[in-house]
Amino acid sequence: MADNETIIWTGGTDGHLDLIDQTLLPNELSRIACRDIETVWEAIKMLRVRGAPAIGIAAAYGVTVGLQKSGDDDSEKFWQCFDKSADYLATSRPTAVNLFWALDRLRALAAELKSGSVAAARTALLEEAQKIHTEDRDMCHAIGKHGAALLSDGQGVLTHCNAGGLATAEYGTALSVFFTAQDQGKNLHVFVDETRPLLQGARLTAWELMQRKIKSTLICDSMAAQVMREGKVQAVVTGADRIAANGDSANKIGTYSVAVLAKAHGIPFYIAAPSSTFDLSIESGDEIPIELRNSEEITNGFGKQTAPTGVEVYNPAFDVTPAEYIEAIITERGVIKPVTKEHVMAMVGPSN
Ligand code: MRU
């Protein structure tokens, strides 16, 4: 088993989901085996597996894990267990649409499978999860190719949170753009926002970039303006958790400030995301549900109390960058530019 694969399914329909526990990085690279659906749910909720595409893949496999509770003899009970498993996994995190996209894909398949045998359905549902996993890998590589064309040798770039191999099947979305540019012989210098409060930039992105020997510099989130003012950054690329029909994009808290700063300094701000991250059922970012997380993530991060006991805390995990701040959205199908509803629909709309 490859130690650095973010998500692995081991075995057949009676197998298990194996994940890198990302809460332990960068100090420890170790894996957790999810053999029941509660463990899958907890892994998503607690960010052991995180990043929009990775959450979707994990949830898709999680359905197969949930179905292991049900035997093959009673078809009605099996499909009740399917509905319960999908509904339960959908409660783990609210913002990344990839979670709901993956579960809806299984629900649509389930509707076709109900007339057949339970054993055949079990196999088909696992195969669909594996397909979601493989497709994500391909999408990431395609995003890298489209995005790398927007960058030039010698540029400084900035990213926020982690949209790398750890957040996807492999290679990432925003980081895929940097990895591909590097493979093409372009030397970049990546500025990595540490990404308060859970430090996905410091713990995960810096780790991934160092593993690939890409020149990188870690900064506190509050330093981005100064770094831009000093002329060190020529482009910003981040991932996304949900993109509305008009191009408004939700991503990790702090992304919106980076986009505003980029605009103020005349620096292009790009979103890199697969088509599975678009939610065309909503018109604008105002309709994107924003996850609110525990106050301890801010007051007691990583085991040390850093605020007075009892202080009031607000901890939204994501924010929405309005389309007007986004120079282009890089998808596996091509680059959406300018970012308008018309161009979003032309690239990822239902007729494509
Ligand atoms: O809370 P997280 O760590 O799951 O947030 C992840 C992000 O915001 C990523 O930038 C986003 O999911 C894109 S991952 C390719």
Side-chain angles (χ1 to χ4, degrees):
M1 179 193 300
D3 269 359
N4 54 0
E5 286 235 15
T6 305
I7 300 171
I8 296 174
W9 179 263
T10 303
T13 52
D14 58 351
H16 69 273
L17 178 61
D18 190 280
L19 306 166
I20 291 180
D21 184 346
Q22 299 187 34
T23 61
L24 303 178
L25 284 170
N27 301 321
E28 195 182 321
L29 177 57
S30 64
R31 310 191 65 89
I32 42 165
C34 305
R35 297 177 194 279
D36 55 59
I37 194 168
E38 291 78 15
T39 308
V40 179
W41 188 94
E42 194 269 354
I44 297 173
K45 178 78 186 167
M46 300 312 291
L47 277 58
R48 300 186 197 286
V49 59
R50 42 131 318 269
I55 293 172
I57 298 163
Y61 284 127
V63 169
T64 287
V65 174
L67 286 170
Q68 290 168 353
K69 272 191 192 150
S70 171
D72 279 2
D73 307 339
D74 187 332
S75 160
E76 204 181 315
K77 273 204 181 127
F78 176 84
W79 289 113
Q80 276 169 4
C81 181
F82 171 84
D83 289 339
K84 228 174 120 189
S85 300
D87 291 351
Y88 173 59
L89 288 164
T91 64
S92 56
R93 293 190 76 189
T95 303
V97 77
N98 308 59
L99 172 73
F100 307 98
W101 169 86
L103 293 171
D104 284 349
R105 210 167 129 166
L106 294 185
R107 285 191 184 102
L109 177 65
E112 289 170 24
L113 294 171
K114 282 189 177 153
S115 53
S117 77
V118 164
R122 214 186 271 286
T123 303
L125 290 165
L126 173 58
E127 283 172 358
E128 191 68 6
Q130 288 167 327
K131 218 166 136 202
I132 288 171
H133 195 173
T134 308
E135 283 172 11
D136 187 67
R137 194 171 278 131
D138 295 342
M139 288 193 283
C140 287
H141 284 274
I143 287 170
K145 283 203 184 94
H146 292 300
L150 302 169
L151 302 181
S152 314
D153 185 33
Q155 281 188 327
V157 293
L158 185 141
T159 192
H160 191 78
C161 195
N162 172 267
L166 289 165
T168 59
E170 171 184 285
Y171 225 50
T173 57
L175 293 199
S176 168
V177 172
F178 305 155
F179 297 155
T180 309
Q182 172 182 257
D183 291 346
Q184 294 171 350
K186 293 175 187 166
N187 287 309
L188 302 175
H189 185 157
V190 185
F191 288 86
V192 181
D193 278 356
E194 65 175 352
T195 316
R196 279 275 289 155
L198 294 182
L199 306 186
Q200 288 92 332
R203 294 187 303 104
L204 310 176
T205 299
W207 184 76
E208 285 198 46
L209 291 168
M210 286 176 79
Q211 282 200 329
R212 286 192 181 256
K213 303 199 175 0
I214 294 188
K215 190 165 187 217
S216 49
T217 300
L218 178 64
I219 57 170
C220 299
D221 300 341
S222 51
M223 296 169 187
Q226 181 63 16
V227 170
M228 289 180 188
R229 191 156 186 246
E230 289 172 10
K232 292 185 163 83
V233 172
Q234 283 71 50
V236 177
V237 189
T238 76
D241 287 82
R242 191 186 292 232
I243 304 173
N246 71 346
D248 290 354
S249 300
N251 192 48
K252 178 53 53 195
I253 192 75
T255 304
Y256 178 25
S257 350
V258 175
V260 173
L261 290 174
K263 188 147 201 131
H265 291 85
I267 298 167
F269 174 89
Y270 300 110
I271 291 277
S275 46
S276 53
T277 300
F278 286 78
D279 181 355
L280 302 178
S281 74
I282 57 171
E283 280 300 314
S284 82
D286 295 345
E287 294 169 71
I288 298 177
I290 301 293
E291 178 181 15
L292 293 179
R293 291 187 66 90
N294 211 309
S295 58
E296 277 80 48
E297 290 181 353
I298 294 181
T299 59
N300 294 65
F302 304 96
K304 185 170 166 63
Q305 181 164 343
T306 53
T309 303
V311 68
E312 192 180 309
V313 170
Y314 180 49
N315 185 16
F318 298 94
D319 58 27
V320 175
T321 300
E324 68 204 80
Y325 290 93
I326 306 170
E327 177 77 8
I329 302 177
I330 307 156
T331 76
E332 78 279 12
R333 299 182 191 174
V335 175
I336 301 172
K337 184 178 171 178
V339 182
T340 60
K341 182 172 181 185
E342 193 193 348
H343 285 88
V344 167
M345 287 302 182
M347 188 69 77
V348 295
S351 54
N352 295 285

